[in-house]
PDB file of all heavy atoms in Angstrom:
ATOM      1  N   GLU A 139       3.432   7.293  -1.764  1.00 97.00           N
ATOM      2  CA  GLU A 139       4.600   7.682  -0.972  1.00 97.00           C
ATOM      3  C   GLU A 139       4.744   9.186  -0.843  1.00 97.00           C
ATOM      4  O   GLU A 139       5.267   9.683   0.162  1.00 97.00           O
ATOM      5  CB  GLU A 139       5.858   7.073  -1.586  1.00 97.00           C
ATOM      6  CG  GLU A 139       5.935   5.566  -1.442  1.00 97.00           C
ATOM      7  CD  GLU A 139       7.054   4.922  -2.234  1.00 97.00           C
ATOM      8  OE1 GLU A 139       7.658   5.599  -3.100  1.00 97.00           O
ATOM      9  OE2 GLU A 139       7.326   3.736  -1.998  1.00 97.00           O
ATOM     10  N   ARG A 140       4.261   9.932  -1.823  1.00 98.00           N
ATOM     11  CA  ARG A 140       4.515  11.376  -1.860  1.00 98.00           C
ATOM     12  C   ARG A 140       3.310  12.227  -1.459  1.00 98.00           C
ATOM     13  O   ARG A 140       3.390  13.458  -1.483  1.00 98.00           O
ATOM     14  CB  ARG A 140       4.958  11.783  -3.270  1.00 98.00           C
ATOM     15  CG  ARG A 140       3.875  11.592  -4.324  1.00 98.00           C
ATOM     16  CD  ARG A 140       4.371  11.799  -5.732  1.00 98.00           C
ATOM     17  NE  ARG A 140       4.670  13.176  -6.023  1.00 98.00           N
ATOM     18  CZ  ARG A 140       4.815  13.655  -7.268  1.00 98.00           C
ATOM     19  NH1 ARG A 140       4.701  12.846  -8.297  1.00 98.00           N
ATOM     20  NH2 ARG A 140       5.078  14.920  -7.452  1.00 98.00           N
ATOM     21  N   SER A 141       2.188  11.596  -1.076  1.00 98.00           N
ATOM     22  CA  SER A 141       0.965  12.376  -0.887  1.00 98.00           C
ATOM     23  C   SER A 141       0.275  12.097   0.434  1.00 98.00           C
ATOM     24  O   SER A 141       0.537  11.098   1.107  1.00 98.00           O
ATOM     25  CB  SER A 141      -0.022  12.084  -2.031  1.00 98.00           C
ATOM     26  OG  SER A 141      -0.483  10.744  -1.962  1.00 98.00           O
ATOM     27  N   VAL A 142      -0.630  13.006   0.780  1.00 98.00           N
ATOM     28  CA  VAL A 142      -1.580  12.819   1.877  1.00 98.00           C
ATOM     29  C   VAL A 142      -2.957  12.673   1.243  1.00 98.00           C
ATOM     30  O   VAL A 142      -3.357  13.497   0.404  1.00 98.00           O
ATOM     31  CB  VAL A 142      -1.554  14.014   2.848  1.00 98.00           C
ATOM     32  CG1 VAL A 142      -2.713  13.931   3.842  1.00 98.00           C
ATOM     33  CG2 VAL A 142      -0.218  14.071   3.578  1.00 98.00           C
ATOM     34  N   GLY A 143      -3.689  11.622   1.624  1.00 98.00           N
ATOM     35  CA  GLY A 143      -5.005  11.369   1.055  1.00 98.00           C
ATOM     36  C   GLY A 143      -6.128  11.855   1.955  1.00 98.00           C
ATOM     37  O   GLY A 143      -6.141  11.562   3.152  1.00 98.00           O
ATOM     38  N   ILE A 144      -7.068  12.612   1.371  1.00 99.00           N
ATOM     39  CA  ILE A 144      -8.219  13.133   2.107  1.00 99.00           C
ATOM     40  C   ILE A 144      -9.496  12.610   1.453  1.00 99.00           C
ATOM     41  O   ILE A 144      -9.813  12.960   0.313  1.00 99.00           O
ATOM     42  CB  ILE A 144      -8.239  14.671   2.132  1.00 99.00           C
ATOM     43  CG1 ILE A 144      -6.943  15.230   2.720  1.00 99.00           C
ATOM     44  CG2 ILE A 144      -9.445  15.169   2.925  1.00 99.00           C
ATOM     45  CD1 ILE A 144      -6.866  16.754   2.704  1.00 99.00           C
ATOM     46  N   GLU A 145     -10.224  11.765   2.163  1.00 98.00           N
ATOM     47  CA  GLU A 145     -11.520  11.269   1.713  1.00 98.00           C
ATOM     48  C   GLU A 145     -12.626  12.226   2.148  1.00 98.00           C
ATOM     49  O   GLU A 145     -12.502  12.911   3.165  1.00 98.00           O
ATOM     50  CB  GLU A 145     -11.804   9.892   2.315  1.00 98.00           C
ATOM     51  CG  GLU A 145     -10.960   8.764   1.764  1.00 98.00           C
ATOM     52  CD  GLU A 145     -11.543   8.143   0.493  1.00 98.00           C
ATOM     53  OE1 GLU A 145     -12.574   8.657   0.000  1.00 98.00           O
ATOM     54  OE2 GLU A 145     -10.966   7.151   0.021  1.00 98.00           O
ATOM     55  N   HIS A 146     -13.712  12.226   1.385  1.00 98.00           N
ATOM     56  CA  HIS A 146     -14.874  13.057   1.704  1.00 98.00           C
ATOM     57  C   HIS A 146     -16.126  12.188   1.664  1.00 98.00           C
ATOM     58  O   HIS A 146     -16.357  11.466   0.690  1.00 98.00           O
ATOM     59  CB  HIS A 146     -14.992  14.221   0.721  1.00 98.00           C
ATOM     60  CG  HIS A 146     -13.820  15.152   0.776  1.00 98.00           C
ATOM     61  ND1 HIS A 146     -12.639  14.881   0.093  1.00 98.00           N
ATOM     62  CD2 HIS A 146     -13.626  16.310   1.462  1.00 98.00           C
ATOM     63  CE1 HIS A 146     -11.775  15.856   0.354  1.00 98.00           C
ATOM     64  NE2 HIS A 146     -12.344  16.723   1.173  1.00 98.00           N
ATOM     65  N   GLU A 147     -16.910  12.261   2.718  1.00 98.00           N
ATOM     66  CA  GLU A 147     -18.106  11.432   2.844  1.00 98.00           C
ATOM     67  C   GLU A 147     -19.120  11.789   1.760  1.00 98.00           C
ATOM     68  O   GLU A 147     -19.479  12.960   1.584  1.00 98.00           O
ATOM     69  CB  GLU A 147     -18.730  11.652   4.217  1.00 98.00           C
ATOM     70  CG  GLU A 147     -20.005  10.849   4.451  1.00 98.00           C
ATOM     71  CD  GLU A 147     -20.664  11.180   5.775  1.00 98.00           C
ATOM     72  OE1 GLU A 147     -20.353  12.236   6.365  1.00 98.00           O
ATOM     73  OE2 GLU A 147     -21.509  10.377   6.213  1.00 98.00           O
ATOM     74  N   GLY A 148     -19.593  10.781   1.041  1.00 98.00           N
ATOM     75  CA  GLY A 148     -20.631  11.038   0.053  1.00 98.00           C
ATOM     76  C   GLY A 148     -20.456  10.237  -1.211  1.00 98.00           C
ATOM     77  O   GLY A 148     -19.684   9.271  -1.259  1.00 98.00           O
ATOM     78  N   PHE A 149     -21.184  10.669  -2.247  1.00 98.00           N
ATOM     79  CA  PHE A 149     -21.182   9.999  -3.540  1.00 98.00           C
ATOM     80  C   PHE A 149     -20.876  11.024  -4.631  1.00 98.00           C
ATOM     81  O   PHE A 149     -21.352  12.160  -4.572  1.00 98.00           O
ATOM     82  CB  PHE A 149     -22.543   9.352  -3.811  1.00 98.00           C
ATOM     83  CG  PHE A 149     -22.871   8.215  -2.882  1.00 98.00           C
ATOM     84  CD1 PHE A 149     -23.449   8.467  -1.641  1.00 98.00           C
ATOM     85  CD2 PHE A 149     -22.590   6.913  -3.239  1.00 98.00           C
ATOM     86  CE1 PHE A 149     -23.764   7.419  -0.777  1.00 98.00           C
ATOM     87  CE2 PHE A 149     -22.898   5.851  -2.374  1.00 98.00           C
ATOM     88  CZ  PHE A 149     -23.476   6.104  -1.151  1.00 98.00           C
ATOM     89  N   VAL A 150     -20.130  10.613  -5.630  1.00 98.00           N
ATOM     90  CA  VAL A 150     -19.691  11.548  -6.666  1.00 98.00           C
ATOM     91  C   VAL A 150     -20.853  12.116  -7.468  1.00 98.00           C
ATOM     92  O   VAL A 150     -20.744  13.215  -8.031  1.00 98.00           O
ATOM     93  CB  VAL A 150     -18.678  10.885  -7.623  1.00 98.00           C
ATOM     94  CG1 VAL A 150     -17.398  10.513  -6.902  1.00 98.00           C
ATOM     95  CG2 VAL A 150     -19.276   9.664  -8.324  1.00 98.00           C
ATOM     96  N   ASP A 151     -21.969  11.388  -7.543  1.00 97.00           N
ATOM     97  CA  ASP A 151     -23.092  11.847  -8.347  1.00 97.00           C
ATOM     98  C   ASP A 151     -24.163  12.573  -7.526  1.00 97.00           C
ATOM     99  O   ASP A 151     -25.263  12.824  -8.022  1.00 97.00           O
ATOM    100  CB  ASP A 151     -23.724  10.671  -9.102  1.00 97.00           C
ATOM    101  CG  ASP A 151     -24.221   9.564  -8.174  1.00 97.00           C
ATOM    102  OD1 ASP A 151     -23.889   9.611  -6.979  1.00 97.00           O
ATOM    103  OD2 ASP A 151     -24.928   8.660  -8.663  1.00 97.00           O
ATOM    104  N   ARG A 152     -23.828  12.933  -6.258  1.00 97.00           N
ATOM    105  CA  ARG A 152     -24.774  13.658  -5.398  1.00 97.00           C
ATOM    106  C   ARG A 152     -24.126  14.946  -4.919  1.00 97.00           C
ATOM    107  O   ARG A 152     -23.487  14.989  -3.873  1.00 97.00           O
ATOM    108  CB  ARG A 152     -25.191  12.800  -4.201  1.00 97.00           C
ATOM    109  CG  ARG A 152     -26.026  11.606  -4.592  1.00 97.00           C
ATOM    110  CD  ARG A 152     -26.840  11.015  -3.457  1.00 97.00           C
ATOM    111  NE  ARG A 152     -26.231  11.055  -2.145  1.00 97.00           N
ATOM    112  CZ  ARG A 152     -26.528  10.182  -1.172  1.00 97.00           C
ATOM    113  NH1 ARG A 152     -27.401   9.207  -1.395  1.00 97.00           N
ATOM    114  NH2 ARG A 152     -25.958  10.269   0.004  1.00 97.00           N
ATOM    115  N   PRO A 153     -24.281  16.020  -5.683  1.00 97.00           N
ATOM    116  CA  PRO A 153     -23.643  17.287  -5.299  1.00 97.00           C
ATOM    117  C   PRO A 153     -24.066  17.788  -3.931  1.00 97.00           C
ATOM    118  O   PRO A 153     -23.310  18.509  -3.276  1.00 97.00           O
ATOM    119  CB  PRO A 153     -24.067  18.255  -6.412  1.00 97.00           C
ATOM    120  CG  PRO A 153     -25.234  17.615  -7.082  1.00 97.00           C
ATOM    121  CD  PRO A 153     -25.039  16.144  -6.954  1.00 97.00           C
TER     122      PRO A 153
END
Side-chain angles (χ1 to χ4, degrees):
E139 291 171 348
R140 65 188 289 196
S141 67
V142 170
I144 304 177
E145 289 274 4
H146 297 83
E147 179 185 18
F149 294 85
V150 295
D151 59 349
R152 292 200 325 206

